[in-house]
Amino acid sequence: MVNKLKTYAVLTLLVFGLVFLGIGCAEKNSGDSSQVEETSSDAVPETETSAARSQSITLKGSDTVLPLAQAEAEEFMLENSDKSVTVTGGGSGVGITALIDGEVDIATASREIKAEEIEAAKANGINPVETTIAYDGISVIVNPENPVSELTFDQLRGIYNGTISNWKDVGGEDLKIVVISRDSSSGTYEYFKEEVLQGDEYRADALTQPATGGIVGEVSQNPSAIGYIGVAYLDESVKALNLDAGNGSEAPTSENILSGAYPLSRSLYFYTNGEPSGLTKEFIDFVLSETGQSLVTEVGYFPVEK
């Protein structure tokens, strides 16, 4: 009898042990399952990440295009609060280099892309596509105290290549001319060199500025200074000169720039890698729309004809 009781006691303990073991395993498995589900819920699907990236684009390049691109981006984001457009300057060459390196969605430029830049882009798997977004004129500016109001192209070339160094040689006072230029990364620098200097080099003592605002500031404070800027940067602190390229003296007015009568007129560009698509296309379409082109006029440039 005693032996039977001992046997039943042992069996009972074994049963309880198995039950508790089963419960423990079930709880452990349940905990593991919950942990896996929590971890997987934190993961962001690739499609969702790609969608987030597609809602943001970056523009970089021309300081001439900068105020226009900023105005367009601000208005576009007001109408599309879930989308982001980042705009920076630095010069046309800087923007085109960034496009070649795959760092931006749009390069802004105040000059056409060069053949060697296209070659470098293609070698890097980039296919630059050009879109004209506006037209612009280059204003040659002096201090308001300067009595000179116009220059011929030959006089302007002489001032910038160094053969003319005194304002008295072009109808002004007996003062040494302080020549100010954009730096070599600027599309305006390249355009001015091609159109005005026509193969000559800039004079060695020319003062360079990395941004258009710097030129305006220097000329506004120095009665001996001369510089060149996009017409959108003109204000009352400087005076724009009329220019004569051989067909009479012309002022940098909207009418003269659009007609081509003013000799320093040019196009402004966006460059993309291939035909624009997605948010890049959406933004460019906005810039070329009636709303976008009205901003072109407000900023001080001239709209693209449709």
Side-chain angles (χ1 to χ4, degrees), residues 138-142 150-164 167 170 177 179 192 195-197 200 202-203 226-228 241-244 262-264:
I138 300 297
S139 296
V140 177
I141 59 171
V142 295
E150 65 179 46
L151 292 172
T152 67
F153 254 42
D154 285 341
Q155 289 173 328
L156 186 58
R157 183 179 305 111
I159 289 172
Y160 270 87
N161 68 16
T163 58
I164 297 176
W167 280 111
V170 291
I177 300 174
V179 174
F192 191 88
E195 296 296 321
V196 175
L197 292 177
D200 292 346
Y202 282 90
R203 61 191 298 159
I226 185 171
Y228 56 86
L241 300 181
N242 294 355
L243 298 179
D244 184 356
Y262 182 72
L264 292 180

Side-chain angles (χ1 to χ4, degrees), residues 242-296:
N242 294 355
L243 298 179
D244 184 356
N247 298 311
S249 180
E250 300 288 353
T253 64
S254 58
E255 181 181 355
N256 287 341
I257 289 171
L258 288 171
S259 69
Y262 182 72
L264 292 180
S265 305
R266 59 179 175 171
S267 300
L268 303 179
Y269 306 103
F270 280 174
Y271 285 98
T272 56
N273 178 20
E275 292 295 333
S277 61
L279 183 56
T280 299
K281 182 180 187 305
E282 189 177 344
F283 179 67
I284 293 176
D285 287 346
F286 172 81
V287 172
L288 296 176
S289 71
E290 184 176 348
T291 300
Q293 289 296 290
S294 69
L295 287 173
V296 170

Side-chain angles (χ1 to χ4, degrees), residues 67-81 83 85 87 283 286-287 289-296 298:
L68 173 58
Q70 287 175 328
E72 298 283 3
E74 288 171 6
E75 184 64 27
F76 179 80
M77 288 188 289
L78 281 176
E79 297 185 11
N80 302 272
S81 59
K83 296 168 185 176
V85 180
V87 182
F283 179 67
F286 172 81
V287 172
S289 71
E290 184 176 348
T291 300
Q293 289 296 290
S294 69
L295 287 173
V296 170
E298 287 181 22

Side-chain angles (χ1 to χ4, degrees), residues 164-177 203:
I164 297 176
S165 296
N166 195 299
W167 280 111
K168 69 179 181 180
D169 296 329
V170 291
E173 298 178 357
D174 186 6
L175 292 171
K176 181 182 178 181
I177 300 174
R203 61 191 298 159

Side-chain angles (χ1 to χ4, degrees), residues 47-255:
T47 54
E48 184 179 335
T49 305
S50 299
R53 283 198 298 264
S54 70
Q55 299 305 298
S56 176
I57 59 172
T58 301
L59 286 70
K60 187 174 189 177
S62 169
D63 283 323
T64 298
V65 181
L66 182 61
L68 173 58
Q70 287 175 328
E72 298 283 3
E74 288 171 6
E75 184 64 27
F76 179 80
M77 288 188 289
L78 281 176
E79 297 185 11
N80 302 272
S81 59
D82 60 330
K83 296 168 185 176
S84 174
V85 180
T86 302
V87 182
T88 56
S92 298
V94 171
I96 291 172
T97 298
L99 181 72
I100 293 171
D101 292 339
E103 297 173 353
V104 296
D105 301 285
I106 299 175
T108 61
S110 57
R111 62 166 173 82
E112 291 185 342
I113 190 170
K114 300 176 184 178
E116 57 265 31
E117 290 170 333
I118 295 175
E119 184 177 344
K122 290 183 176 179
N124 213 28
I126 303 294
N127 176 32
V129 171
E130 177 184 287
T131 301
T132 300
I133 59 162
Y135 297 103
D136 177 36
I138 300 297
S139 296
V140 177
I141 59 171
V142 295
N143 188 279
E145 296 180 11
N146 193 323
V148 174
S149 60
E150 65 179 46
L151 292 172
T152 67
F153 254 42
D154 285 341
Q155 289 173 328
L156 186 58
R157 183 179 305 111
I159 289 172
Y160 270 87
N161 68 16
T163 58
I164 297 176
S165 296
N166 195 299
W167 280 111
K168 69 179 181 180
D169 296 329
V170 291
E173 298 178 357
D174 186 6
L175 292 171
K176 181 182 178 181
I177 300 174
V178 176
V179 174
I180 304 174
S181 168
R182 282 298 309 277
D183 60 20
S184 59
S185 68
S186 164
T188 306
Y189 169 99
E190 295 283 354
Y191 176 84
F192 191 88
K193 183 177 182 180
E194 180 178 339
E195 296 296 321
V196 175
L197 292 177
Q198 298 180 357
D200 292 346
E201 294 296 325
Y202 282 90
R203 61 191 298 159
D205 62 349
L207 304 176
T208 59
Q209 288 288 335
T212 304
I215 294 180
V216 174
E218 288 288 340
V219 174
S220 69
Q221 298 174 39
N222 189 340
S224 298
I226 185 171
Y228 56 86
I229 61 173
V231 294
Y233 283 88
L234 276 175
D235 60 32
E236 294 180 354
S237 70
V238 295
K239 180 174 75 173
L241 300 181
N242 294 355
L243 298 179
D244 184 356
N247 298 311
S249 180
E250 300 288 353
T253 64
S254 58
E255 181 181 355

